[in-house]
């Protein structure tokens, strides 16, 4: 081989290496969108959480479209409250169990869950049963109540320009947001975007400044890879913690989307309110976090 | 004699270990059992003090070298001083002053103030992380290095009481005729109570550690002996024990049920009332240490009777609705053990929102952190008309006074919603339950 051939080979080899490096760093959802035409929203109803999840993720090409072998996964449930699963104030444990299992089967190096709880953290982690379900399924359960686990990040155009965020949200390769849909005394309802308040340290700052704006603006910083909204049993009144007088509906549904605004919009309709009346949804759309225009979207509705 | 010393040491170290571990959440049951054997917390309100008095009039102050954690802690500290040589000291007059203070305090209804000097309470408070408490135990342990059980025979109120009961205990150590006055026993007597000139051991100060008998080369010390002076004087010890055992009941019978004057703080469900609480609690702080929500702290602003009693501080946390931990670590029955269901029916205070401070009114922004955190549904978001933003209103009969709302309220420096404590706890109503399933299984998709 002479020098010219060597240089050509090296150049092609280098370009190929750089190309594959760049391709592997791009968010998977872009890869998925380019290679196959997946729906914007997948909604599955009429079954148990495990069955709903399996059918729904299949419509997105399987969990392997989101989780590659060797990647670290953060599953962010709602486990903020020290009440049992029957209250549906926290994410359904069977759903979390199934999501964890599928991520591990896809070859994830690690799957973690945590929440910066509203109730005392041990009572929330224990009474929600999510700590024991996660550990049984092979996931790591991280504490959310230790301030040093949070790092300050900047949101340049945010209502709050500096927010302390949990290191797992910052470092995980894949983030799967699994909130429970329910009533909320402050914002009217809570689903995907509001669930991300659980990765933030100073929630009081949100309430002090402007709750709806801060919820929406956080998504400008970093969005989850996938959102799976638990609408299996929906608390209609008395949320977010619920009480003996709370009323419920049973849509027995899961809503999947990579667009957090779209997911929350569909969730709002399922909850029974106009999305335009939920301030953080309208803020998020106007700031470009995602789209609330369901009419123009490809929605796959599946009945089990 | 070695068997006695070894057994006693094993027991005392085990007791110390389990009490210490219990403060960190390990072995909750054994911790509670050991704390209920402590004299100070149970005096007049449990059974531990009766067992301690009975044991003392028969066996002398073995309590002080087995059950009391501060006693064992002092022995371990003194163990650091290898070259220690104790000397006999005449009885200290301060003990008698302490005794007088004990009697006056207990009869006048201020018995729980003795918690300041109670050895169990001092030991537990040493783990609170607060400097004054750490400093106090440090002083006591430092004194132990040079003067052995100095605290026990000078300041300790428990030691003062048990010393009266042990003065003529049925069994006590004595020096027999084999003694050659070598002085070895005096040098190891941590209570400084072996008088070799008169060949006597002062059993009112002796904690029955057995070191003297162990070190004696000629077998001159009979640790377990029945002395004639003691047999003659036994009735005096018995009377002393009965006197101090009955003393706490004097204020209960003769003093009218007087509540401490002034305001009272928020205290846990199971305390029933501030008056009852201040008459039971010795301020050991076990509940503070074990509280998972870290909402309890010692109080110093609620009068003499309230001195060092635990109270809720809703700036630090709130009382988790489902948690009942504190009632299961209290040795004095100051906080009665409740089930979560029993606790849910207790109102310890009521919350009230000052709308003029509320963010919803001052900024026009959604907040409702208070309603969000309320575990009973006592806070409703209401508005007079469609144009008015909903703001929090507390339905007082549903409020349990847990402080979740006050803690969550983001307004500072003064919270917009604040809990007012009840001096006497009331019954809380439970919110009316809604039918189990609304069974509104919606057909189809709404989008």
């Amino acid at each position: 081989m002479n020098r010219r051939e060597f240089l050509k080979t090296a150049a092609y080899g280098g370009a190929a290496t750089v190309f594959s490096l760049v391709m592997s760093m791009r968010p998977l959802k872009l890869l998925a969108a380019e290679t196959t035409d997946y729906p914007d929203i997948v909604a599955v109803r009429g079954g148990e959480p495990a069955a709903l999840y399996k059918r729904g993720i299949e419509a997105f090409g399987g969990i392997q479209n989101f989780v590659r072998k060797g990647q670290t996964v953060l599953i962010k449930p709602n486990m903020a409250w020290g009440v049992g699963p029957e209250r549906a104030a926290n994410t359904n444990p069977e759903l979390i169990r199934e999501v964890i299992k599928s991520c591990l089967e896809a070859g994830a190096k690690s799957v973690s869950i945590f929440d910066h709880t509203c109730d005392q953290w041990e009572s929330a982690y224990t009474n929600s049963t999510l700590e024991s379900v996660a550990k049984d399924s092979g996931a790591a359960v991280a504490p959310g109540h230790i301030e040093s686990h949070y790092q300050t990040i900047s949101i340049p155009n945010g209502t709050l320009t500096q927010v302390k965020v949990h290191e797992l949200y910052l470092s995980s390769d894949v983030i799967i947001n699994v909130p429970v849909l329910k009533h909320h005394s402050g914002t009217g309802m809570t689903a995907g975007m509001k669930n991300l308040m659980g990765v933030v340290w100073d929630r009081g700052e949100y309430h002090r400044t402007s709750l709806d704006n801060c919820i929406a603006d956080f998504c400008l910083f970093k969005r989850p890879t996938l959102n799976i909204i638990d609408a299996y049993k929906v608390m209609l009144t008395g949320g977010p913690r619920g009480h003996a007088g709370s009323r419920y509906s049973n849509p027995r549904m899961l809503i999947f989307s990579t667009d957090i605004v779209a997911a929350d919009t569909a969730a709002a309709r399922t909850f029974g309110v106009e999305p335009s009346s939920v301030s953080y949804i309208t803020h998020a759309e106007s700031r470009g976090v995602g789209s609330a225009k369901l009419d123009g979207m490809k929605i796959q509705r599946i009945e089990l | 004699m070695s068997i006695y010393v070894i057994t006693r040491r094993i027991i005392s170290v085990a007791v110390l270990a389990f009490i210490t571990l219990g403060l960190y959440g390990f072995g909750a049951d054994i911790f509670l059992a050991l704390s209920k054997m402590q004299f100070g917390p149970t005096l007049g309100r449990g059974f531990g003090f009766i067992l301690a008095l009975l044991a003392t009039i028969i066996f002398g102050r073995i309590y002080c070298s087995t059950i009391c954690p501060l006693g064992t802690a002092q022995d371990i500290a003194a163990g650091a001083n290898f070259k220690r040589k104790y000397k006999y000291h005449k009885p200290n007059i301060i003990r008698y002053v302490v005794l007088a203070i004990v009697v006056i305090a207990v009869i006048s209804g201020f018995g729980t103030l003795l918690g300041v000097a109670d050895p169990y309470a001092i030991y537990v408070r040493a783990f609170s992380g607060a400097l004054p408490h750490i400093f106090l135990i440090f002083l006591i342990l430092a004194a132990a290095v040079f003067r052995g059980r100095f605290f026990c025979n000078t300041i300790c109120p428990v030691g003062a009481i048990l010393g009266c009961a042990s003065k003529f205990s049925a069994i006590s150590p004595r020096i027999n005729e084999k003694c050659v006055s070598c002085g070895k026993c005096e040098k190891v007597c941590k209570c400084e109570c072996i008088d070799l000139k008169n060949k006597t051991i002062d059993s009112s100060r002796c904690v029955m550690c057995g070191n003297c008998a162990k070190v004696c080369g000629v077998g001159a010390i009979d640790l377990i002996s029945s002395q004639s002076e003691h047999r003659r004087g036994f009735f005096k010890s018995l009377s002393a024990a009965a006197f101090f055992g009955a003393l706490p009941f004097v204020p209960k019978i003769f003093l009218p049920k007087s509540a401490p004057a002034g305001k009272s703080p928020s205290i846990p469900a199971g305390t029933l009332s501030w008056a009852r609480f201040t008459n039971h609690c010795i301020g050991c702080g076990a509940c503070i240490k074990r509280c998972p929500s870290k909402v309890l702290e010692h109080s110093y602003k609620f009068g003499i009777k309230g001195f060092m009693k635990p109270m809720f501080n809703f700036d630090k946390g709130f009382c988790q609705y489902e948690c009942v931990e504190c009632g299961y670590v209290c040795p004095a029955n100051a906080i009665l053990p409740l089930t979560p269901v029993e606790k849910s029916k207790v109102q310890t205070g009521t919350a009230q929102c000052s709308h003029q401070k509320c963010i919803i009114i001052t900024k026009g922004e959604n907040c409702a952190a208070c309603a969000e955190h309320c575990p009973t549904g006592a806070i409703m978001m209401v508005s007079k008309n469609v144009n008015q933003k909903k703001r929090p209103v507390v339905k007082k009969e549903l409020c349990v006074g847990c402080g979740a709302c006050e803690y969550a309220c983001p307004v500072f420096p003064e919270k917009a919603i604040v809990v007012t404590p009840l001096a006497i706890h009331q019954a809380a109503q439970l919110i009316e339950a809604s039918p189990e399933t609304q069974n509104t299984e919606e057909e189809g998709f709404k989008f």
Side-chain angles (χ1 to χ4, degrees):
Chain A
M1 192 191 280
N2 64 22
R3 191 188 298 174
R4 182 179 290 183
E5 277 171 29
F6 172 77
L7 283 173
K8 251 202 328 194
T9 313
Y12 280 130
T17 311
V18 170
F19 179 76
S20 56
L21 270 173
V22 167
M23 288 304 282
S24 71
M25 284 192 306
R26 288 169 71 192
L28 279 166
K29 74 168 170 124
L30 282 175
L31 275 175
E34 284 169 65
T35 50
T36 325
D37 206 6
Y38 289 114
D40 296 308
I41 298 176
V42 171
V44 195
R45 66 177 295 275
E48 294 307 295
L52 293 171
Y53 169 75
K54 286 188 189 134
R55 186 68 189 85
I57 200 69
E58 185 189 295
F60 265 105
I63 190 68
Q64 53 270 25
N65 245 349
F66 300 93
V67 178
R68 278 238 210 87
K69 208 168 149 75
Q71 289 194 304
T72 57
V73 180
L74 167 65
I75 294 173
K76 171 64 181 68
N78 185 330
M79 56 180 189
W81 304 102
V83 297
E86 67 288 347
R87 278 272 190 98
N90 300 310
T91 307
N92 185 297
E94 295 315 309
L95 173 60
I96 295 296
R97 189 197 301 275
E98 209 55 45
V99 180
I100 293 173
K101 270 169 53 184
S102 75
C103 290
L104 288 169
E105 279 163 16
K109 182 166 92 171
S110 73
V111 177
S112 306
I113 72 165
F114 85 94
D115 199 347
H116 186 196
T117 62
C118 294
D119 273 340
Q120 194 270 322
W121 79 271
E122 281 155 311
S123 100
Y125 275 39
T126 304
N127 297 351
S128 65
T129 73
L130 286 171
E131 174 168 31
S132 58
V133 161
K135 284 188 174 159
D136 281 345
S137 317
V141 179
H145 62 289
I146 300 171
E147 192 170 357
S148 60
H149 291 181
Y150 292 76
Q151 289 170 41
T152 309
I153 54 95
S154 298
I155 309 180
N157 298 321
T159 307
L160 281 175
T161 53
Q162 302 228 288
V163 181
K164 272 187 150 168
V165 178
H166 195 278
E167 58 200 13
L168 276 176
Y169 194 79
L170 303 174
S171 68
S172 297
D173 297 321
V174 181
I175 297 169
I176 304 181
N177 188 19
V178 195
V180 65
L181 172 61
K182 58 183 175 170
H183 174 255
H184 194 281
S185 50
T187 51
M189 64 164 250
T190 166
M193 281 186 270
K194 180 105 179 46
N195 191 38
L196 294 180
M197 271 181 84
V199 309
V200 154
W201 177 253
D202 194 351
R203 289 190 305 273
E205 186 107 57
Y206 274 38
H207 282 266
R208 240 191 316 273
T209 313
S210 168
L211 187 55
D212 298 299
N213 278 311
C214 292
I215 291 169
D217 290 349
F218 179 78
C219 300
L220 293 170
F221 163 65
K222 185 177 181 185
R223 271 157 283 182
T225 320
L226 173 65
N227 302 281
I228 308 172
I229 301 184
D230 172 9
Y232 181 77
K233 181 177 177 181
V234 175
M235 187 195 301
L236 297 174
T237 62
R241 209 185 111 110
H243 47 69
S246 289
R247 288 185 289 111
Y248 292 83
S249 67
N250 298 286
R252 301 177 82 209
M253 186 193 304
L254 295 182
I255 300 169
F256 296 70
S257 183
T258 53
D259 181 335
I260 199 170
V261 180
D264 276 10
T265 308
R269 290 263 170 81
T270 309
F271 180 72
V273 294
E274 264 310 302
S276 55
S277 72
V278 183
S279 299
Y280 66 77
I281 295 180
T282 55
H283 281 309
E285 189 183 31
S286 67
R287 307 217 66 185
V289 172
S291 172
K293 294 179 179 50
L294 298 185
D295 300 329
M297 288 186 199
K298 185 168 174 218
I299 303 175
Q300 188 171 352
R301 299 173 186 80
I302 304 168
E303 290 262 8
L304 282 189
Chain B
M1 252 323 109
S2 281
I3 297 176
Y4 174 85
V5 173
I6 291 170
T7 313
R8 184 198 64 73
R9 283 181 185 171
I10 291 173
I11 293 173
S12 66
V13 168
V15 168
L16 183 71
F18 280 114
I19 288 176
T20 311
L21 287 171
L23 289 173
Y24 288 92
F26 302 105
D29 293 332
I30 195 167
F31 170 79
L32 187 61
L34 290 175
S35 67
K36 288 195 163 177
M37 287 169 69
Q38 302 294 321
F39 185 88
T42 58
L43 181 62
R45 42 199 182 286
F47 296 106
F49 78 102
I50 298 174
L51 290 172
L53 284 170
L54 281 174
T56 305
I57 57 175
I58 299 172
F59 297 105
R61 286 169 63 180
I62 51 165
Y63 172 92
C64 301
S65 52
T66 49
I67 308 294
C68 178
L70 191 57
T72 309
Q74 288 175 84
D75 291 347
I76 294 172
N81 184 2
F82 288 108
K83 297 213 195 111
R84 67 192 176 282
K85 280 183 226 163
Y86 298 114
K87 269 172 54 180
Y88 173 72
H89 280 79
K90 287 220 203 69
N92 203 317
I93 195 165
I94 301 178
R95 290 175 79 201
Y96 301 105
V97 175
V98 169
L99 216 46
I101 294 173
V102 167
V103 173
I104 295 169
V106 173
I107 314 180
S108 59
F110 286 89
T112 54
L113 268 183
L114 297 173
V116 172
D118 177 77
Y120 177 73
I122 288 174
Y123 185 75
V124 173
R125 282 194 300 258
F127 292 88
S128 66
L131 233 50
H133 303 310
I134 295 174
F135 185 62
L136 177 60
I137 200 172
F138 174 76
L139 273 181
I140 294 171
L141 297 180
V145 171
F146 301 104
R147 296 287 304 274
R149 296 295 196 100
F150 179 78
F151 170 80
C152 307
N153 287 325
T154 317
I155 301 167
C156 182
V158 179
I161 295 172
L162 293 183
C164 294
S166 68
K167 194 155 174 77
F168 297 106
S169 55
I171 288 164
S172 58
R174 69 157 181 195
I175 299 172
N176 62 34
E177 61 287 340
K178 294 182 198 159
C179 175
V180 296
S181 300
C182 70
K184 276 193 198 161
C185 57
E186 183 185 344
K187 292 196 180 95
V188 300
C189 177
K190 59 170 80 102
C191 292
E192 303 170 330
C193 67
I194 298 183
D195 179 2
L196 281 178
K197 224 189 279 176
N198 300 308
K199 301 258 165 72
T200 57
I201 298 177
D202 180 1
S203 63
S204 78
R205 286 185 285 160
C206 170
V207 295
M208 293 294 283
C209 70
N211 285 349
C212 51
K214 180 165 176 276
V215 83
C216 178
V218 299
I221 298 195
D222 302 324
L223 198 60
I224 317 284
S225 77
S226 171
Q227 303 184 58
S228 54
E229 307 88 50
H230 280 233
R231 286 196 295 271
R232 284 197 292 271
F234 181 73
F235 185 71
K236 289 183 193 169
S237 270
L238 185 61
S239 312
F243 173 73
F244 285 106
L247 208 59
F249 298 98
V250 168
K252 288 190 202 203
I253 299 167
F254 294 103
L255 278 184
K257 274 214 169 90
S258 56
K263 284 162 89 164
S264 61
S266 275
I267 51 181
T271 53
L272 305 187
S273 72
W274 179 236
R276 184 189 176 278
F277 186 55
T278 53
N279 282 326
H280 279 73
C281 171
I282 56 152
C284 73
C287 57
I288 298 173
K289 183 79 186 159
R290 294 291 304 124
C291 174
S293 305
K294 310 258 181 284
V295 60
L296 285 169
E297 62 179 23
H298 290 288
S299 73
Y300 298 97
K301 294 183 185 166
F302 292 90
I304 302 173
K305 269 198 133 160
F307 187 69
M308 270 212 274
K309 309 291 189 249
M311 59 173 259
F312 285 144
N313 180 348
F314 297 131
D315 286 333
K316 291 175 55 186
F318 63 94
C319 179
Q320 179 66 31
Y321 192 66
E322 292 76 15
C323 175
V324 287
E325 190 86 16
C326 55
Y328 291 88
V329 299
C330 179
N333 287 329
I335 308 176
L336 294 171
L338 301 175
T339 64
V341 172
E342 286 166 342
K343 181 187 170 187
S344 70
K345 296 175 185 162
V346 177
Q347 182 180 76
T348 65
T350 54
Q352 171 114 18
C353 177
S354 307
H355 288 143
Q356 71 275 21
K357 294 183 188 159
C358 178
I359 281 180
I360 296 171
I361 280 91
T362 60
K363 276 186 157 183
E365 296 279 357
N366 279 332
C367 176
C370 54
E372 181 180 343
H373 281 78
C374 177
T376 63
I379 303 181
M380 302 290 302
M381 300 301 290
V382 295
S383 60
K384 289 203 193 111
N385 53 57
V386 185
N387 295 322
Q388 195 187 56
K389 234 176 159 54
K390 290 188 178 178
R391 71 280 315 276
V393 170
V394 181
K395 205 169 179 204
K396 294 221 161 85
E397 55 275 25
L398 297 176
C399 178
V400 290
C402 71
C405 54
E406 185 173 337
Y407 178 69
C409 180
V411 179
F412 66 90
E414 281 169 25
K415 306 266 171 146
I417 189 163
V418 168
V419 174
T420 304
L422 286 171
I424 302 174
H425 292 173
Q426 305 294 325
Q429 271 181 41
L430 293 176
I431 199 164
E432 204 177 303
S434 104
E436 181 56 52
T437 39
Q438 282 275 283
N439 224 3
T440 52
E441 180 143 352
E442 336 279 292
E443 294 300 328
F445 297 86
K446 288 183 172 173
F447 56 90

